[in-house]
Amino acid sequence: MLSIHCPNCGITAEETEFHAHGEAHLTRYGPGSTDDQFESYLFMRRNPKGVHFERWRHQNGCGKWFHVARCTMTLEVFGSYSAQTYAPPQEILDHIKDRRPGWNEGTT
Amino acid sequence: MSKPVTALGGASDATGIATVTEMGPMGMITLRGDLSVKAVTKAAVAAGGVTMPDQRMCNTEGAGGIAWMSPDELLIMCDYEHVHAKLADLQGKLAKEHALAVNVSDARAVFRVSGPHTREVIAKLAPVDMHPGSFTPGMFRRTRFAQVAAAFWMVDDQTAQIICFRSVAQYLFNTLNMAAQDGSLVGHFSKA
């Protein structure tokens, strides 16, 4: 079971109080994009064994969205951060690199 | 005005290790807006009759109170009879603000769990650290009770007040009673 921290209300609770909503930091291709780009946005998702960035919502709590970085293999949670961002903040990346020395952003 | 009817008509069960009672009717107003704006909190304080609570806290005094629900939401509590007047006053004060106030008194059900094992009954249902040193009176928590969303706070060390949607009132009442049924005492918090 994951223990997740909500950066909006400051509560740390187990995962059943939250809900996962899939991969984070997608580029939302819309009108004007190519069919391939649109297809990739709609259907193609990473499915890494290891570090993964996800969107979560504090479903049974404050109701707000945020991001979580976690490991899909060990279920280690590296940290959570604001939903109002296009990329993970540096301290989260530093922490992941600390925990997973071989990991490279973009490869998973 | 017609007579207010609570979801379960004030049902109560004291047969188990804690007493579960439906409260109410209670006046409740949901206020959404930017809580860093002075006019919003000032209007809330005037309606709730208590000072502005900190994050994840709740201030109550008699029937009045304010609970911190989320970074942009407050729950204002008052007497059921006064809710329309309070709401009209609140909406007047917030006319120029980007804020929303709604009377949710009849859309919610309120329960009270009381007795020395209240913490244990709640700990069985909600993913909350109910240790007396962790969850103290005055803290407010939105969470889930088994399968439904609810919010609660400790009125005192042996009494918890729970707010849930009216549509799940019967479920929550049954679930609380099941968690409090006779012979189900674990004694987790009394060991400490």
PDB file of all heavy atoms in Angstrom, chain B residues 124 139 155 159 174 177:
ATOM      1  N   LYS B 124     -11.310   2.034  12.843  1.00  0.00           N
ATOM      2  CA  LYS B 124     -11.662   0.829  12.094  1.00  0.00           C
ATOM      3  C   LYS B 124     -12.156   1.158  10.692  1.00  0.00           C
ATOM      4  O   LYS B 124     -12.138   0.311   9.802  1.00  0.00           O
ATOM      5  CB  LYS B 124     -12.779   0.060  12.823  1.00  0.00           C
ATOM      6  CG  LYS B 124     -12.323  -0.683  14.060  1.00  0.00           C
ATOM      7  CD  LYS B 124     -13.511  -1.431  14.627  1.00  0.00           C
ATOM      8  CE  LYS B 124     -13.217  -1.943  16.021  1.00  0.00           C
ATOM      9  NZ  LYS B 124     -14.407  -2.574  16.599  1.00  0.00           N
ATOM     10  N   MET B 139      -8.883  19.433  15.424  1.00  0.00           N
ATOM     11  CA  MET B 139      -8.458  19.088  14.071  1.00  0.00           C
ATOM     12  C   MET B 139      -9.662  18.647  13.263  1.00  0.00           C
ATOM     13  O   MET B 139     -10.608  18.067  13.804  1.00  0.00           O
ATOM     14  CB  MET B 139      -7.444  17.946  14.101  1.00  0.00           C
ATOM     15  CG  MET B 139      -6.080  18.364  14.560  1.00  0.00           C
ATOM     16  SD  MET B 139      -4.960  16.969  14.384  1.00  0.00           S
ATOM     17  CE  MET B 139      -3.480  17.679  15.035  1.00  0.00           C
ATOM     18  N   VAL B 155     -15.008  16.537  19.009  1.00  0.00           N
ATOM     19  CA  VAL B 155     -15.588  17.618  19.812  1.00  0.00           C
ATOM     20  C   VAL B 155     -14.835  17.698  21.143  1.00  0.00           C
ATOM     21  O   VAL B 155     -14.465  18.761  21.616  1.00  0.00           O
ATOM     22  CB  VAL B 155     -17.088  17.367  20.051  1.00  0.00           C
ATOM     23  CG1 VAL B 155     -17.692  18.475  20.889  1.00  0.00           C
ATOM     24  CG2 VAL B 155     -17.809  17.253  18.711  1.00  0.00           C
ATOM     25  N   THR B 159     -15.598  12.243  21.967  1.00  0.00           N
ATOM     26  CA  THR B 159     -16.746  12.483  21.100  1.00  0.00           C
ATOM     27  C   THR B 159     -16.284  12.948  19.725  1.00  0.00           C
ATOM     28  O   THR B 159     -15.474  13.862  19.615  1.00  0.00           O
ATOM     29  CB  THR B 159     -17.659  13.582  21.701  1.00  0.00           C
ATOM     30  OG1 THR B 159     -17.866  13.287  23.077  1.00  0.00           O
ATOM     31  CG2 THR B 159     -18.979  13.641  20.974  1.00  0.00           C
ATOM     32  N   ASN B 174     -25.224   2.422   9.738  1.00  0.00           N
ATOM     33  CA  ASN B 174     -25.057   0.974   9.888  1.00  0.00           C
ATOM     34  C   ASN B 174     -23.586   0.602  10.054  1.00  0.00           C
ATOM     35  O   ASN B 174     -23.235  -0.258  10.861  1.00  0.00           O
ATOM     36  CB  ASN B 174     -25.618   0.240   8.669  1.00  0.00           C
ATOM     37  CG  ASN B 174     -27.116   0.384   8.566  1.00  0.00           C
ATOM     38  OD1 ASN B 174     -27.769   0.858   9.483  1.00  0.00           O
ATOM     39  ND2 ASN B 174     -27.667  -0.002   7.430  1.00  0.00           N
ATOM     40  N   ASN B 177     -22.262   1.519  13.436  1.00  0.00           N
ATOM     41  CA  ASN B 177     -22.770   0.586  14.449  1.00  0.00           C
ATOM     42  C   ASN B 177     -22.095  -0.769  14.363  1.00  0.00           C
ATOM     43  O   ASN B 177     -21.900  -1.439  15.373  1.00  0.00           O
ATOM     44  CB  ASN B 177     -24.287   0.444  14.321  1.00  0.00           C
ATOM     45  CG  ASN B 177     -24.991   1.557  15.058  1.00  0.00           C
ATOM     46  OD1 ASN B 177     -24.628   1.892  16.181  1.00  0.00           O
ATOM     47  ND2 ASN B 177     -25.965   2.168  14.413  1.00  0.00           N
TER      48      ASN B 177
END
